[in-house]
Amino acid sequence: MNFIKHFCAILLIVLLQSCVTEDEPSGAAIKPGDTCPEFDITLNDGTLVSTEDLRGHISIIAFFNTSCGDCRAELPELQKVYDYIRVNNPEVKLICISREETAYSIERYWKENSLTLPYSAQPDRNIYNKFATTGIPRVYLVSSQLVITDVWTDNPMATANGIINALTNYFPNNSE
């Protein structure tokens, strides 16, 4: 009976950590060198964004869900990047795309945490599944030619310094 209790406790811990510890099937996620998948989204301010709108711009695409602990840790890092690029590299586009989360839930979380990042609420996995099948957070740096150049997942997680350092490949005079 003790074994069953321990097994159930371990299983519960694994399930609660699923935002990070999901196993990725081989070849399931796009990686550096791949072309950015085609998608169309609407941002929280009503702006329509498609993959083609990103052409000619360095872009950062982040997938999240506010119930994911690692996403909650990463969102303030993304806010720092957003604040940095608005001042230093306003031509860089940063968008956050939810995985299975409503606009109401995200808006409430954004307000509670003073976030100003542009986001697109996606109640399903349709957009997310074009990039990966499991695991959040995920952050992609996309070149102006729509090629994925960097990917951050839960290991390693994206940090403001890491993303800003990666941007120095495109904007070497703006490094901190």
Short mmCIF file of all heavy atoms in Angstrom, two decimals, residues 93-133:
data_model
loop_
_atom_site.label_atom_id
_atom_site.label_comp_id
_atom_site.label_asym_id
_atom_site.label_seq_id
_atom_site.Cartn_x
_atom_site.Cartn_y
_atom_site.Cartn_z
N LYS A 93 10.37 42.37 -33.74
CA LYS A 93 9.00 42.05 -33.34
C LYS A 93 9.04 40.95 -32.29
O LYS A 93 9.74 39.96 -32.45
CB LYS A 93 8.18 41.59 -34.54
CG LYS A 93 8.01 42.68 -35.60
CD LYS A 93 7.08 42.21 -36.70
CE LYS A 93 6.89 43.28 -37.73
NZ LYS A 93 5.93 44.28 -37.36
N LEU A 94 8.30 41.13 -31.21
CA LEU A 94 8.18 40.12 -30.17
C LEU A 94 6.70 39.83 -29.97
O LEU A 94 5.92 40.76 -29.73
CB LEU A 94 8.81 40.59 -28.86
CG LEU A 94 8.90 39.53 -27.76
CD1 LEU A 94 10.08 39.82 -26.85
CD2 LEU A 94 7.64 39.41 -26.93
N ILE A 95 6.35 38.56 -30.10
CA ILE A 95 4.96 38.17 -29.86
C ILE A 95 4.92 36.93 -28.99
O ILE A 95 5.73 36.03 -29.12
CB ILE A 95 4.18 37.92 -31.17
CG1 ILE A 95 4.89 36.91 -32.07
CG2 ILE A 95 3.92 39.20 -31.92
CD1 ILE A 95 4.10 36.51 -33.30
N CYS A 96 3.98 36.93 -28.09
CA CYS A 96 3.75 35.79 -27.21
C CYS A 96 2.45 35.11 -27.67
O CYS A 96 1.45 35.80 -27.90
CB CYS A 96 3.61 36.24 -25.76
SG CYS A 96 5.09 37.03 -25.12
N ILE A 97 2.49 33.80 -27.80
CA ILE A 97 1.33 33.04 -28.26
C ILE A 97 1.01 32.01 -27.20
O ILE A 97 1.87 31.20 -26.82
CB ILE A 97 1.61 32.36 -29.60
CG1 ILE A 97 2.02 33.39 -30.66
CG2 ILE A 97 0.39 31.56 -30.06
CD1 ILE A 97 2.49 32.80 -31.98
N SER A 98 -0.23 32.05 -26.71
CA SER A 98 -0.59 31.09 -25.67
C SER A 98 -0.85 29.71 -26.26
O SER A 98 -1.18 29.57 -27.43
CB SER A 98 -1.83 31.57 -24.90
OG SER A 98 -2.99 31.44 -25.69
N ARG A 99 -0.68 28.74 -25.42
CA ARG A 99 -1.04 27.37 -25.76
C ARG A 99 -2.21 27.00 -24.86
O ARG A 99 -2.06 26.92 -23.64
CB ARG A 99 0.14 26.42 -25.52
CG ARG A 99 -0.16 24.99 -25.95
CD ARG A 99 0.98 24.05 -25.64
NE ARG A 99 0.83 23.56 -24.26
CZ ARG A 99 1.56 22.58 -23.76
NH1 ARG A 99 2.51 22.03 -24.48
NH2 ARG A 99 1.37 22.18 -22.52
N GLU A 100 -3.38 26.87 -25.43
CA GLU A 100 -4.58 26.46 -24.71
C GLU A 100 -4.92 27.40 -23.55
O GLU A 100 -5.04 26.97 -22.41
CB GLU A 100 -4.45 25.03 -24.20
CG GLU A 100 -4.29 24.00 -25.30
CD GLU A 100 -4.14 22.60 -24.78
OE1 GLU A 100 -3.26 22.38 -23.90
OE2 GLU A 100 -4.88 21.73 -25.25
N GLU A 101 -5.10 28.68 -23.89
CA GLU A 101 -5.47 29.63 -22.84
C GLU A 101 -6.33 30.75 -23.42
O GLU A 101 -6.09 31.21 -24.53
CB GLU A 101 -4.22 30.21 -22.18
CG GLU A 101 -4.53 31.02 -20.95
CD GLU A 101 -3.33 31.30 -20.09
OE1 GLU A 101 -2.19 31.10 -20.52
OE2 GLU A 101 -3.55 31.74 -18.96
N THR A 102 -7.29 31.19 -22.65
CA THR A 102 -8.22 32.21 -23.11
C THR A 102 -7.66 33.62 -22.91
O THR A 102 -6.79 33.85 -22.07
CB THR A 102 -9.55 32.13 -22.34
OG1 THR A 102 -9.31 32.44 -20.96
CG2 THR A 102 -10.18 30.75 -22.47
N ALA A 103 -8.21 34.55 -23.68
CA ALA A 103 -7.80 35.95 -23.56
C ALA A 103 -8.09 36.49 -22.17
O ALA A 103 -7.28 37.24 -21.61
CB ALA A 103 -8.52 36.79 -24.62
N TYR A 104 -9.21 36.11 -21.59
CA TYR A 104 -9.57 36.59 -20.25
C TYR A 104 -8.51 36.20 -19.23
O TYR A 104 -8.06 37.02 -18.43
CB TYR A 104 -10.94 36.05 -19.83
CG TYR A 104 -11.28 36.40 -18.41
CD1 TYR A 104 -11.73 37.67 -18.08
CD2 TYR A 104 -11.13 35.46 -17.40
CE1 TYR A 104 -12.02 38.01 -16.77
CE2 TYR A 104 -11.43 35.79 -16.08
CZ TYR A 104 -11.87 37.05 -15.77
OH TYR A 104 -12.14 37.37 -14.47
N SER A 105 -8.10 34.96 -19.26
CA SER A 105 -7.10 34.45 -18.31
C SER A 105 -5.76 35.19 -18.48
O SER A 105 -5.12 35.58 -17.51
CB SER A 105 -6.93 32.95 -18.52
OG SER A 105 -5.88 32.45 -17.75
N ILE A 106 -5.36 35.37 -19.72
CA ILE A 106 -4.08 36.03 -19.99
C ILE A 106 -4.15 37.50 -19.57
O ILE A 106 -3.23 38.01 -18.92
CB ILE A 106 -3.70 35.92 -21.48
CG1 ILE A 106 -3.54 34.45 -21.87
CG2 ILE A 106 -2.43 36.70 -21.78
CD1 ILE A 106 -3.49 34.21 -23.36
N GLU A 107 -5.23 38.17 -19.96
CA GLU A 107 -5.37 39.59 -19.62
C GLU A 107 -5.30 39.80 -18.11
O GLU A 107 -4.63 40.72 -17.63
CB GLU A 107 -6.70 40.12 -20.15
CG GLU A 107 -6.88 41.60 -19.90
CD GLU A 107 -8.19 42.12 -20.46
OE1 GLU A 107 -8.76 41.49 -21.35
OE2 GLU A 107 -8.63 43.18 -19.97
N ARG A 108 -5.95 38.95 -17.37
CA ARG A 108 -5.92 39.05 -15.91
C ARG A 108 -4.49 38.87 -15.39
O ARG A 108 -4.01 39.64 -14.57
CB ARG A 108 -6.86 38.00 -15.29
CG ARG A 108 -7.06 38.20 -13.79
CD ARG A 108 -8.00 37.17 -13.21
NE ARG A 108 -7.29 35.89 -13.21
CZ ARG A 108 -7.85 34.74 -13.56
NH1 ARG A 108 -9.09 34.67 -13.93
NH2 ARG A 108 -7.14 33.63 -13.52
N TYR A 109 -3.78 37.85 -15.91
CA TYR A 109 -2.41 37.60 -15.49
C TYR A 109 -1.50 38.78 -15.87
O TYR A 109 -0.65 39.20 -15.08
CB TYR A 109 -1.89 36.29 -16.10
CG TYR A 109 -0.54 35.91 -15.57
CD1 TYR A 109 -0.41 35.24 -14.36
CD2 TYR A 109 0.61 36.25 -16.27
CE1 TYR A 109 0.84 34.91 -13.86
CE2 TYR A 109 1.86 35.92 -15.78
CZ TYR A 109 1.97 35.26 -14.57
OH TYR A 109 3.22 34.95 -14.08
N TRP A 110 -1.66 39.30 -17.08
CA TRP A 110 -0.85 40.44 -17.52
C TRP A 110 -1.04 41.63 -16.58
O TRP A 110 -0.07 42.25 -16.18
CB TRP A 110 -1.26 40.82 -18.95
CG TRP A 110 -0.31 40.45 -20.05
CD1 TRP A 110 0.16 41.30 -21.01
CD2 TRP A 110 0.27 39.17 -20.37
NE1 TRP A 110 0.99 40.63 -21.88
CE2 TRP A 110 1.07 39.32 -21.51
CE3 TRP A 110 0.19 37.92 -19.78
CZ2 TRP A 110 1.78 38.28 -22.08
CZ3 TRP A 110 0.89 36.87 -20.36
CH2 TRP A 110 1.68 37.05 -21.48
N LYS A 111 -2.28 41.93 -16.22
CA LYS A 111 -2.55 43.05 -15.33
C LYS A 111 -1.95 42.82 -13.95
O LYS A 111 -1.34 43.73 -13.37
CB LYS A 111 -4.06 43.29 -15.21
CG LYS A 111 -4.64 43.97 -16.41
CD LYS A 111 -6.13 44.21 -16.27
CE LYS A 111 -6.67 44.88 -17.51
NZ LYS A 111 -8.12 45.04 -17.48
N GLU A 112 -2.12 41.62 -13.40
CA GLU A 112 -1.60 41.31 -12.07
C GLU A 112 -0.08 41.41 -12.02
O GLU A 112 0.50 41.66 -10.97
CB GLU A 112 -2.01 39.89 -11.66
CG GLU A 112 -3.48 39.73 -11.35
CD GLU A 112 -3.88 38.26 -11.16
OE1 GLU A 112 -3.01 37.37 -11.27
OE2 GLU A 112 -5.08 38.02 -10.93
N ASN A 113 0.59 41.19 -13.16
CA ASN A 113 2.04 41.15 -13.19
C ASN A 113 2.66 42.29 -13.99
O ASN A 113 3.85 42.25 -14.31
CB ASN A 113 2.49 39.80 -13.74
CG ASN A 113 2.14 38.68 -12.78
OD1 ASN A 113 2.85 38.46 -11.81
ND2 ASN A 113 1.01 38.03 -13.01
N SER A 114 1.88 43.30 -14.30
CA SER A 114 2.35 44.50 -15.01
C SER A 114 3.10 44.18 -16.30
O SER A 114 4.13 44.78 -16.60
CB SER A 114 3.23 45.35 -14.08
OG SER A 114 2.52 45.72 -12.93
N LEU A 115 2.58 43.23 -17.06
CA LEU A 115 3.19 42.87 -18.34
C LEU A 115 2.55 43.69 -19.46
O LEU A 115 1.35 43.96 -19.43
CB LEU A 115 3.00 41.37 -18.62
CG LEU A 115 3.65 40.42 -17.61
CD1 LEU A 115 3.27 38.98 -17.91
CD2 LEU A 115 5.16 40.59 -17.59
N THR A 116 3.36 44.08 -20.42
CA THR A 116 2.87 44.83 -21.58
C THR A 116 3.19 44.11 -22.89
O THR A 116 3.01 44.68 -23.97
CB THR A 116 3.46 46.25 -21.60
OG1 THR A 116 4.90 46.16 -21.69
CG2 THR A 116 3.06 47.04 -20.37
N LEU A 117 3.67 42.89 -22.80
CA LEU A 117 4.02 42.12 -23.98
C LEU A 117 2.81 41.91 -24.88
O LEU A 117 1.72 41.63 -24.38
CB LEU A 117 4.52 40.73 -23.56
CG LEU A 117 5.75 40.66 -22.69
CD1 LEU A 117 5.80 39.35 -21.93
CD2 LEU A 117 6.98 40.84 -23.54
N PRO A 118 2.98 42.02 -26.20
CA PRO A 118 1.86 41.69 -27.08
C PRO A 118 1.65 40.18 -27.08
O PRO A 118 2.59 39.40 -27.10
CB PRO A 118 2.34 42.18 -28.45
CG PRO A 118 3.82 42.31 -28.35
CD PRO A 118 4.16 42.49 -26.91
N TYR A 119 0.38 39.77 -27.02
CA TYR A 119 0.09 38.34 -26.99
C TYR A 119 -1.10 38.00 -27.87
O TYR A 119 -1.92 38.86 -28.20
CB TYR A 119 -0.17 37.85 -25.56
CG TYR A 119 -1.42 38.42 -24.92
CD1 TYR A 119 -2.66 37.83 -25.15
CD2 TYR A 119 -1.36 39.54 -24.11
CE1 TYR A 119 -3.81 38.36 -24.57
CE2 TYR A 119 -2.49 40.07 -23.52
CZ TYR A 119 -3.72 39.48 -23.76
OH TYR A 119 -4.85 39.99 -23.20
N SER A 120 -1.14 36.75 -28.23
CA SER A 120 -2.27 36.20 -28.97
C SER A 120 -2.80 35.02 -28.16
O SER A 120 -2.07 34.05 -27.91
CB SER A 120 -1.84 35.73 -30.36
OG SER A 120 -2.93 35.11 -31.02
N ALA A 121 -4.05 35.13 -27.74
CA ALA A 121 -4.69 34.05 -26.98
C ALA A 121 -5.14 32.97 -27.96
O ALA A 121 -5.87 33.24 -28.90
CB ALA A 121 -5.88 34.58 -26.20
N GLN A 122 -4.68 31.77 -27.72
CA GLN A 122 -5.05 30.63 -28.55
C GLN A 122 -5.65 29.56 -27.64
O GLN A 122 -4.95 28.99 -26.80
CB GLN A 122 -3.82 30.06 -29.28
CG GLN A 122 -3.15 31.05 -30.22
CD GLN A 122 -4.05 31.40 -31.38
OE1 GLN A 122 -4.66 30.54 -32.01
NE2 GLN A 122 -4.15 32.70 -31.66
N PRO A 123 -6.94 29.30 -27.76
CA PRO A 123 -7.60 28.35 -26.87
C PRO A 123 -7.29 26.89 -27.18
O PRO A 123 -7.71 26.00 -26.45
CB PRO A 123 -9.09 28.65 -27.09
CG PRO A 123 -9.15 29.16 -28.49
CD PRO A 123 -7.86 29.93 -28.69
N ASP A 124 -6.51 26.65 -28.24
CA ASP A 124 -6.17 25.29 -28.63
C ASP A 124 -4.67 25.21 -28.92
O ASP A 124 -3.93 26.11 -28.55
CB ASP A 124 -7.00 24.88 -29.86
CG ASP A 124 -6.86 25.89 -31.01
OD1 ASP A 124 -5.77 26.50 -31.17
OD2 ASP A 124 -7.84 26.08 -31.74
N ARG A 125 -4.26 24.15 -29.57
CA ARG A 125 -2.84 23.97 -29.90
C ARG A 125 -2.56 24.10 -31.40
O ARG A 125 -1.49 23.70 -31.86
CB ARG A 125 -2.37 22.59 -29.43
CG ARG A 125 -2.27 22.44 -27.94
CD ARG A 125 -1.67 21.11 -27.59
NE ARG A 125 -1.55 20.96 -26.15
CZ ARG A 125 -0.60 20.27 -25.56
NH1 ARG A 125 0.31 19.64 -26.27
NH2 ARG A 125 -0.56 20.19 -24.25
N ASN A 126 -3.48 24.64 -32.16
CA ASN A 126 -3.31 24.67 -33.62
C ASN A 126 -2.05 25.42 -34.04
O ASN A 126 -1.29 24.92 -34.87
CB ASN A 126 -4.55 25.27 -34.29
CG ASN A 126 -5.74 24.36 -34.19
OD1 ASN A 126 -5.61 23.15 -33.97
ND2 ASN A 126 -6.92 24.92 -34.36
N ILE A 127 -1.81 26.60 -33.52
CA ILE A 127 -0.60 27.36 -33.88
C ILE A 127 0.63 26.71 -33.24
O ILE A 127 1.64 26.48 -33.88
CB ILE A 127 -0.71 28.84 -33.46
CG1 ILE A 127 -1.93 29.50 -34.09
CG2 ILE A 127 0.58 29.59 -33.79
CD1 ILE A 127 -1.93 29.55 -35.60
N TYR A 128 0.52 26.39 -31.96
CA TYR A 128 1.63 25.77 -31.23
C TYR A 128 2.12 24.52 -31.95
O TYR A 128 3.33 24.31 -32.10
CB TYR A 128 1.18 25.44 -29.80
CG TYR A 128 2.18 24.62 -29.04
CD1 TYR A 128 3.28 25.23 -28.46
CD2 TYR A 128 2.05 23.25 -28.92
CE1 TYR A 128 4.23 24.49 -27.77
CE2 TYR A 128 2.98 22.49 -28.24
CZ TYR A 128 4.08 23.12 -27.66
OH TYR A 128 5.01 22.38 -27.00
N ASN A 129 1.20 23.66 -32.42
CA ASN A 129 1.59 22.40 -33.05
C ASN A 129 2.34 22.59 -34.36
O ASN A 129 2.97 21.65 -34.84
CB ASN A 129 0.37 21.52 -33.27
CG ASN A 129 -0.10 20.87 -31.99
OD1 ASN A 129 0.61 20.82 -30.99
ND2 ASN A 129 -1.33 20.37 -32.01
N LYS A 130 2.34 23.77 -34.92
CA LYS A 130 3.15 24.04 -36.11
C LYS A 130 4.62 24.18 -35.73
O LYS A 130 5.51 24.04 -36.57
CB LYS A 130 2.66 25.31 -36.81
CG LYS A 130 1.27 25.14 -37.40
CD LYS A 130 0.80 26.39 -38.08
CE LYS A 130 -0.58 26.14 -38.66
NZ LYS A 130 -0.87 26.98 -39.79
N PHE A 131 4.88 24.47 -34.44
CA PHE A 131 6.24 24.65 -33.94
C PHE A 131 6.73 23.45 -33.15
O PHE A 131 7.91 23.12 -33.18
CB PHE A 131 6.30 25.89 -33.05
CG PHE A 131 6.19 27.18 -33.81
CD1 PHE A 131 4.97 27.66 -34.23
CD2 PHE A 131 7.33 27.93 -34.09
CE1 PHE A 131 4.86 28.86 -34.94
CE2 PHE A 131 7.25 29.13 -34.80
CZ PHE A 131 6.01 29.59 -35.22
N ALA A 132 5.86 22.83 -32.38
CA ALA A 132 6.25 21.72 -31.51
C ALA A 132 5.00 20.93 -31.13
O ALA A 132 3.88 21.36 -31.41
CB ALA A 132 6.92 22.26 -30.25
N THR A 133 5.21 19.80 -30.48
CA THR A 133 4.08 19.01 -30.02
C THR A 133 3.98 18.94 -28.51
O THR A 133 2.92 18.65 -27.98
CB THR A 133 4.14 17.57 -30.59
OG1 THR A 133 5.39 16.99 -30.22
CG2 THR A 133 3.98 17.58 -32.10
#
